[in-house]
């Protein structure tokens, strides 16, 4: 039997309803905070994601990269930021009034080892604010994500925050880390030994080495921040305090992607059931990425929420409302397929009522079972008499009252009963 590919999965029925619920609230939040939705292609030139000297696992090991006819190298997007920036530059959005605030709900692809909370195809809800650098924006971006999670009913969350400094501070810190780690290189794992020259920041959040004293005692960025970077971070904290967003400063948090400068953050699910993949969303500021990708020197900031992990957290909080939908009307057809049945259904739908029709020959008993299964509010029964007289037999499944109504009067009848959900 044909099966889905490892690390991918089908989103069915109730699960689909949960995605829709979360997406709708996200879209609502985007209106509240003034973002415009954007959709970029799933495939991009590999160069969109891969830059010289990339060290992140995502770019070096996890990309679905392929070429067609031995020509272009293409990649299924592993994250949203690079594609959005490619579009921002290509469509000269930098000429618009800054900041340009963009949001996306899209599938991402990473060749990772699948486990709970980690798939090879997954969904992200992301935002990017481009063209303006301000501590106010950083705080607002974090507040947006935090408030979104709280509005969904997730309470067990912790905001982890750090700064990587501006370019000048960051370079000084990187040199200091190299000097510090070099004499201890043999204590580090093989990956970290490679990271030492290329990106020693990543050593700080190594999953293998994080318990080592040499990592715990490593110099922290705050001693290398210049006044500008230090003031900037203090301002971010000040705004977060004003907005009453609780946070933990985590001096070893550097994020898994290479492009960050200044503010970085991750929001963790602290529920006991969360498991090892507990980061619901992460993001940060990037001062250099737009220029590196060929645009003007403009800063940006954003985050991406892992939607599967988000849904898991809402489930753990028991915070999903009842999302089952039930039709207004189920039509039982005793005529075995008279066009009148379909016509009644269509008239109702055109007037905004949801209708399920029995399309094929079945016993009355099994049709009544369907009414129960669908939990329709009304049952309409159509037989030879009803067809002849252009009427229907309609039963209120709550009160059990049954009436005969002319098909011409049916919309008005249901409008009266169901409180007018006509949309025409
Ligand atoms: P990221 O930290 O790589 O950042 O991913 C963001 C979130 O996506 C993670 O916190 C996690 O919830 C989810 N995620 C990542 N990988 C997987 C996976 N294999 N399976 C399920 N969920 C996953 C970014 O992608 C950046 N583009 C965020 C950003 C936007 N930074 C600035 N702007």
């Amino acid at each position: 039997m044909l099966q889905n590919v490892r690390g991918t999965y089908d989103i069915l029925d109730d699960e689909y309803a949960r995605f829709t619920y979360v997406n709708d609230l996200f879209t609502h939040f985007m209106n509240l905070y003034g973002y415009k939705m954007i959709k970029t292609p799933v495939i991009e030139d590999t160069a969109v994601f891969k830059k010289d000297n990339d060290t992140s696992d995502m770019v070096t090991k996890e990309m679905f990269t392929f070429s067609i006819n031995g020509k272009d190298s293409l990649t299924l997007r592993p994250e949203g930021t690079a594609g959005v920036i490619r579009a921002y530059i290509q469509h000269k959005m930098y000429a618009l009034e800054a900041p340009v605030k963009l949001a996306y709900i899209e599938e991402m692809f990473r060749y990772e080892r699948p486990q709970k909370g980690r798939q090879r195809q997954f969904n992200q809800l992301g935002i990017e604010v481009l063209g303006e650098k301000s501590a106010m924006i950083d705080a607002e971006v974090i507040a947006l994500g935090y408030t979104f999670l709280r509005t969904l009913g997730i309470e067990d969350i912790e905001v982890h925050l750090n700064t990587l400094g501006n370019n000048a501070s960051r370079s000084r810190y990187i040199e200091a880390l190299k000097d510090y780690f070099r004499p201890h290189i043999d204590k580090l794992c093989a990956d970290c030994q490679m990271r030492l020259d290329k990106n020693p920041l990543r050593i700080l959040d190594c999953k293998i080495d994080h318990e080592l004293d040499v990592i715990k005692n490593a110099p922290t960025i705050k001693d290398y921040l210049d006044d500008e970077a230090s003031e900037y971070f203090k301002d971010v904290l000040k705004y977060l305090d004003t907005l009453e967003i609780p946070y933990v400063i985590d001096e070893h948090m550097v994020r898994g992607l290479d492009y960050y400068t200044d503010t970085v953050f991750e929001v963790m699910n602290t529920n006991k059931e969360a498991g090892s993949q507990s980061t619901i969303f992460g993001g940060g500021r990037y001062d250099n990425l737009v220029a590196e990708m060929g645009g003007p020197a403009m800063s940006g900031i954003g985050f991406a929420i892992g939607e599967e992990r988000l849904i898991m957290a809402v489930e753990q909080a028991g915070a999903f409302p009842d999302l089952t939908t039930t039709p207004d009307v189920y039509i039982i057809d005793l005529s075995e397929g008279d066009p009148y049945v379909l016509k009644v259904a269509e008239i109702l739908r055109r007037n905004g009522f949801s209708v399920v029709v029995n399309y094929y020959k079945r016993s009355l008993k099994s049709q009544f079972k369907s009414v129960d299964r669908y939990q329709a509010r009304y049952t309409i029964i159509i037989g030879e008499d009803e067809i002849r007289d252009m009427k229907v037999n309609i039963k209120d499944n709550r009160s059990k009252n049954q009436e005969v109504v002319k098909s011409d009067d049916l919309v008005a009848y249901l409008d009266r009963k169901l409180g007018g959900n006509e949309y025409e």
Side-chain angles (χ1 to χ4, degrees):
M1 196 185 18
L2 294 172
Q3 300 268 338
N4 60 308
V5 170
R6 186 165 134 82
T8 69
Y9 65 103
D10 301 310
I11 302 176
L12 310 173
D13 201 4
D14 293 350
E15 182 72 353
Y16 201 103
R18 287 190 275 274
F19 273 83
T20 306
Y21 173 75
V22 167
N23 290 348
D24 286 351
L25 188 69
F26 184 72
T27 313
H28 173 64
F29 261 69
M30 293 306 102
N31 284 330
L32 293 181
Y33 284 81
Y35 285 75
K36 292 249 189 317
M37 300 303 294
I38 180 170
K39 207 159 175 58
T40 59
V42 172
I43 43 173
E44 296 271 6
D45 278 337
T46 300
V48 168
F49 307 108
K50 198 178 173 107
K51 328 244 160 17
D52 294 340
N53 302 321
D54 255 314
T55 61
S56 70
D57 287 351
M58 187 196 82
V59 174
T60 57
K61 302 184 196 159
E62 294 169 358
M63 297 212 301
F64 282 90
T65 295
F66 56 96
S67 67
I68 302 288
N69 299 334
K71 280 195 229 139
D72 313 323
S73 174
L74 302 173
T75 293
L76 300 185
R77 65 167 168 242
E79 59 112 31
T81 311
V84 167
I85 292 179
R86 197 262 314 128
Y88 174 77
I89 299 169
Q90 185 176 334
H91 302 291
K92 299 192 173 51
M93 285 187 247
Y94 47 77
L96 303 173
E97 186 178 311
V100 172
K101 298 161 95 175
L102 301 171
Y104 48 91
I105 304 178
E106 290 187 318
E107 298 85 357
M108 306 294 157
F109 303 83
R110 296 186 194 178
Y111 191 73
E112 298 200 77
R113 194 170 57 77
Q115 53 178 282
K116 184 180 168 194
R118 191 198 273 174
Q119 297 85 30
R120 289 182 174 168
Q121 177 174 341
F122 59 99
N123 291 274
Q124 284 188 343
L125 308 166
I127 63 169
E128 311 295 341
V129 184
L130 293 151
E132 184 80 57
K133 183 171 181 179
S134 150
M136 229 171 163
I137 298 179
D138 298 25
E140 192 188 80
V141 161
I142 297 168
L144 187 171
Y146 179 81
T147 313
F148 177 59
L149 265 52
R150 292 300 300 257
T151 306
L152 281 167
I154 308 172
E155 300 202 334
D156 299 333
I157 42 178
E158 233 168 53
V159 179
H160 287 215
L161 201 62
N162 193 18
T163 176
L164 299 178
N166 53 17
N167 285 327
S169 319
R170 193 171 181 263
S171 322
R172 264 186 293 132
Y173 182 48
I174 287 174
E175 286 315 308
L177 284 177
K178 285 184 185 165
D179 291 345
Y180 169 81
F181 279 122
R182 194 157 289 120
H184 305 287
I185 189 157
D186 49 332
K187 299 195 188 97
L188 303 175
C189 73
D191 278 346
C192 283
Q193 294 187 4
M194 302 230 294
R195 286 170 184 146
L196 181 63
D197 280 320
K198 282 189 154 178
N199 187 0
L201 285 171
R202 290 301 315 279
I203 300 176
L204 295 173
D205 76 346
C206 174
K207 301 276 177 301
I208 303 170
D209 290 343
H210 69 283
E211 288 297 340
L212 294 180
D213 283 342
V214 61
I215 291 197
K216 287 186 186 157
N217 300 329
T220 56
I221 179 78
K222 64 174 181 294
D223 297 326
Y224 296 85
L225 295 178
D226 59 19
D227 288 349
E228 182 193 85
S230 159
E231 285 305 313
Y232 189 85
F233 192 50
K234 274 191 208 140
D235 281 347
V236 175
L237 302 184
K238 180 185 76 188
Y239 290 124
L240 287 174
D241 291 339
T242 313
L243 298 176
E244 296 180 44
I245 309 292
Y247 54 83
V248 180
I249 296 189
D250 177 350
E251 285 170 343
H252 280 188
M253 200 234 307
V254 301
R255 304 271 303 127
L257 304 171
D258 288 350
Y259 48 63
Y260 295 106
T261 50
D262 285 300
T263 319
V264 286
F265 50 88
E266 286 185 350
V267 175
M268 328 298 282
N269 179 0
T270 54
N271 189 299
K272 290 185 296 297
E273 296 165 45
S276 59
Q277 306 304 313
S278 61
T279 312
I280 303 179
F281 74 87
R285 182 162 281 287
Y286 41 86
D287 278 349
N288 310 318
L289 188 58
V290 181
E292 268 172 29
M293 292 184 65
M298 281 182 157
S299 184
I301 182 169
F303 68 62
I305 304 176
E307 194 167 10
E308 285 75 7
R309 293 187 195 177
L310 177 71
I311 286 175
M312 215 187 308
V314 183
E315 272 164 7
Q316 284 159 2
F320 274 116
D322 182 2
L323 297 171
T324 43
T325 51
T326 53
D328 297 319
V329 174
Y330 185 96
I331 302 186
I332 289 184
D333 173 16
L334 302 177
S335 78
E336 300 192 348
D338 193 283
Y340 178 73
V341 174
L342 216 48
K343 198 167 166 205
V344 169
E346 202 54 22
I347 288 169
L348 290 177
R349 290 170 179 146
R350 285 178 191 176
N351 285 278
F353 299 103
S354 56
V355 182
V356 174
V357 187
N358 175 63
Y359 300 109
Y360 55 100
K361 295 167 190 168
R362 288 194 302 161
S363 71
L364 194 57
K365 195 172 154 208
S366 93
Q367 292 197 51
F368 268 114
K369 272 201 186 136
S370 291
V371 175
D372 288 344
R373 195 159 54 78
Y374 282 103
Q375 294 184 39
R377 181 74 173 79
Y378 286 87
T379 308
I380 283 179
I381 304 164
I382 297 177
E384 299 301 329
D385 291 352
E386 285 76 21
I387 295 166
R388 190 193 54 232
D389 300 342
M390 306 277 276
K391 61 189 183 184
V392 303
N393 197 319
I394 183 161
K395 180 180 166 198
D396 181 332
N397 291 325
R398 280 192 204 150
S399 69
K400 312 287 178 208
N401 283 341
Q402 203 158 330
E403 291 182 69
V404 174
V405 177
K406 293 181 110 161
S407 61
D408 281 349
D409 300 337
L410 189 56
V411 168
Y413 175 87
L414 280 174
D415 268 344
R416 222 169 34 246
K417 296 281 186 185
L418 290 171
N421 52 357
E422 195 171 9
Y423 62 75
E424 283 188 335

